[in-house]
Amino acid sequence: MASRANHLVLLGCGLLCTAALLCTQMIGSCAAQGGASQPPASVAAVPGPAAVSNFPIASDARLAGDARQTRFILDLDKPVQFRAFALADPYRVVVDFPQISFSLPAGIGAGGRGLVKAFRYGLVMPGGSRIVFDLTGPAKIAKSYILEAANGQPPRLVIEFEQMDRTAFVQSLPPESRPELRPAIAEANATAQPDSSIAQPPQTPDKRPVVVIDPGHGGVDNGTQAGGGDIMEKNLVLTFGLALRDRIEKSGKYRVVMTRTDDTFIPLGDRVKVARNEAAALLVSIHADALPRGEGDAHGATIYTLSDKATDSEAERLADIENKSDAIGGVSLVDEPTEVADILIDLVQRETKTFSNRFARTLMSEMKNTVRMHKHPLKSAGFRVLKAPDVPSVLVELGYVSNKGDLELLVSENWRNKTVGAMAQAIDAFLAKRLATAGPAK
């Protein structure tokens, strides 16, 4: 009997020790992995020690590169599967994994480099981990892959980010994740993020007519230049376009979308897509021309509409120059999207062409009272940026940077204000008449 009692006592002690050990392991595991899972949009940093498990371990992370191309490298003890995707407003890239034990140096991710402002990581649900990168601006995932262990180096996850413009970024997102194609949204959200825990009132769709303003050129494509190369067309037309946007928005009647708001290269096809995706009521492309040396000294503003046959050799020359902008930016002119190819084939619907010509005449009537116009102010040619089949479009050459008088006006704030006022008045007159005859639907 005594032997049996001793046996029971020893068995009870063993069970107590086992329970205590299991409890200690569970507490350690919870502490290591941050406890409760975090919401997917805001993963908390969890730099604690790795849990006692068979989960892959991330031991180090680093960033390299610059504001155009940035690379993220994560050292692992074994290869993992992952899924990477981008989000807008604010700009982020999210990488999801099966559960990982993060054993990264303390404070890592708080600072950034290049396109990455910072990154955070942690457990988002049992069996799932996540890294969230906060970006400095729109960027695509150029490459993402796992490097196998080699030459004494551990397996690595590599994510390569590449700078891109907002329009292309938004179009690269799945349809359900796309915000409006408005460059100002990201900046507004960066300064005033709503509290996601507070129910937000439903947003009323903005049914105002959309005006797309397209400052020509940008980025590597400087356009025409003057003053020894110090004055560039891309800067002149961007300043003018932003001023025109501000003037139109003051009325509150229209929603204005810019194809670019900074020194960014936008392919011609993407400029057309912005107008079409926004179901724009009007597209106005802004440029400033220049004549080569020895080809005269033309001056004044010119308004162009689309035609498969140029009105004169000067219009044909200008269209050829403008249509080569994509080649300057390194865009293939051969393998264009089907949508753009269809535009090139179909050219423009008859109704849209009629509206474009009508607006061009309205614009000329307003501008001639305040702006020096070309001796032949209305012309047409095969500009690719005007080839949206369902959006009335014009291209305005504000003047010639090769002409001294025009150049003085182009850099004049007083002239710019007068010209912006005339154009805004023409846009209002055209759209008011069109809406009155056709109703709110375009």
Side-chain angles (χ1 to χ4, degrees):
M1 182 69 69
S3 174
R4 185 176 180 184
N6 290 336
H7 178 74
L8 290 172
V9 170
L10 291 172
L11 180 61
C13 290
L15 289 172
L16 287 172
C17 291
T18 301
L21 178 62
L22 288 173
C23 183
T24 301
Q25 289 180 344
M26 289 173 65
I27 293 172
S29 177
C30 290
Q33 298 190 37
S37 62
Q38 301 293 326
S42 57
V43 181
V46 187
V52 180
S53 69
N54 290 323
F55 298 137
I57 298 173
S59 58
D60 198 8
R62 53 203 171 276
L63 291 163
D66 55 29
R68 291 186 176 274
Q69 294 180 316
T70 305
R71 175 179 292 180
F72 171 79
I73 301 171
L74 182 70
D75 290 346
L76 301 158
D77 69 334
K78 64 181 72 172
V80 296
Q81 294 183 332
F82 69 94
R83 181 176 73 101
F85 57 95
L87 296 171
D89 300 341
Y91 298 115
R92 290 156 291 160
V93 163
V94 177
V95 184
D96 284 336
F97 313 85
Q99 189 164 335
I100 285 178
S101 295
F102 291 100
S103 184
L104 303 180
I108 197 166
R113 179 170 180 166
L115 294 166
V116 177
K117 286 195 293 188
F119 64 91
R120 52 199 187 278
Y121 54 92
L123 186 71
V124 290
M125 66 181 71
S129 295
R130 170 172 287 185
I131 301 177
V132 178
F133 298 90
D134 298 316
L135 305 180
T136 59
K140 68 179 179 180
I141 305 169
K143 294 179 183 178
S144 58
Y145 51 92
I146 293 289
L147 283 175
E148 298 289 341
N151 301 320
Q153 300 297 322
R156 292 169 173 169
L157 166 72
V158 180
I159 307 290
E160 297 185 4
F161 305 93
E162 190 172 294
Q163 184 186 47
M164 67 192 312
D165 64 87
R166 177 177 173 81
T167 301
F169 176 84
V170 171
Q171 291 170 347
S172 71
L173 301 176
E176 66 275 10
S177 301
R178 293 178 185 174
E180 291 180 292
L181 281 170
R182 297 182 68 186
I185 287 181
E187 287 77 2
N189 283 348
T191 57
Q193 283 294 322
D195 187 345
S196 59
S197 65
I198 301 174
Q200 300 295 318
Q203 297 295 315
T204 303
D206 191 340
K207 296 183 178 181
R208 293 176 298 170
V210 175
V211 178
V212 174
I213 299 175
D214 172 45
H217 309 281
V220 296
D221 178 14
N222 296 325
T224 57
Q225 299 183 61
D230 295 333
I231 300 175
M232 300 181 186
E233 178 185 2
K234 66 176 182 179
N235 298 329
L236 289 173
V237 298
L238 177 59
T239 301
F240 188 94
L242 292 172
L244 180 58
R245 176 197 65 182
D246 294 344
R247 181 68 63 91
I248 296 171
E249 286 183 337
K250 278 185 177 180
S251 72
K253 297 179 183 179
Y254 313 107
R255 182 162 67 85
V256 182
V257 174
M258 302 287 293
T259 58
R260 69 180 181 98
T261 57
D262 55 20
D263 188 17
T264 301
F265 173 78
I266 310 291
L268 295 174
D270 286 351
R271 297 172 191 257
V272 174
K273 287 179 182 178
V274 170
R276 300 201 69 203
N277 289 343
E278 291 286 351
L282 184 66
L283 179 146
V284 181
S285 190
I286 310 295
H287 293 258
D289 197 6
L291 285 179
R293 289 180 179 273
E295 292 195 16
D297 188 32
H299 66 268
T302 312
I303 303 164
Y304 288 88
T305 53
L306 179 68
S307 173
D308 55 346
K309 185 176 181 180
T311 50
D312 55 36
S313 59
E314 184 180 345
E316 185 175 12
R317 171 196 63 80
L318 181 62
D320 288 342
I321 292 173
E322 298 296 350
N323 292 344
K324 289 176 181 176
S325 292
D326 279 359
I328 295 171
V331 177
S332 171
L333 300 180
V334 179
D335 300 324
E336 291 185 325
T338 303
E339 181 182 40
V340 178
D342 290 342
I343 294 171
L344 294 175
I345 294 171
D346 297 334
L347 290 181
V348 68
Q349 294 176 348
R350 183 174 299 177
E351 183 184 37
T352 301
K353 185 175 181 180
T354 299
F355 282 124
S356 298
N357 290 333
R358 184 178 300 170
F359 174 64
R361 291 192 296 270
T362 302
L363 183 57
M364 182 192 68
S365 296
E366 290 292 341
M367 290 181 67
K368 71 181 182 181
N369 296 322
T370 55
V371 181
R372 185 164 72 164
M373 302 297 291
H374 189 274
K375 60 182 178 181
H376 302 298
L378 292 179
K379 297 187 179 185
S380 62
F383 293 93
R384 291 178 62 231
V385 76
L386 303 181
K387 290 184 176 180
D390 47 0
V391 179
S393 308
V394 301
L395 185 148
V396 180
E397 294 286 344
L398 298 172
Y400 289 81
V401 299
S402 54
N403 177 272
K404 184 179 179 181
D406 276 8
L407 184 58
E408 290 177 354
L409 294 174
L410 288 168
V411 298
S412 164
E413 184 176 358
N414 183 54
W415 174 89
R416 182 166 58 247
N417 289 336
K418 290 181 180 179
T419 308
V420 161
M423 292 182 68
Q425 183 65 30
I427 290 170
D428 186 46
F430 169 75
L431 291 180
K433 184 176 180 180
R434 187 175 180 192
L435 290 175
T437 56
K442 191 166 69 71

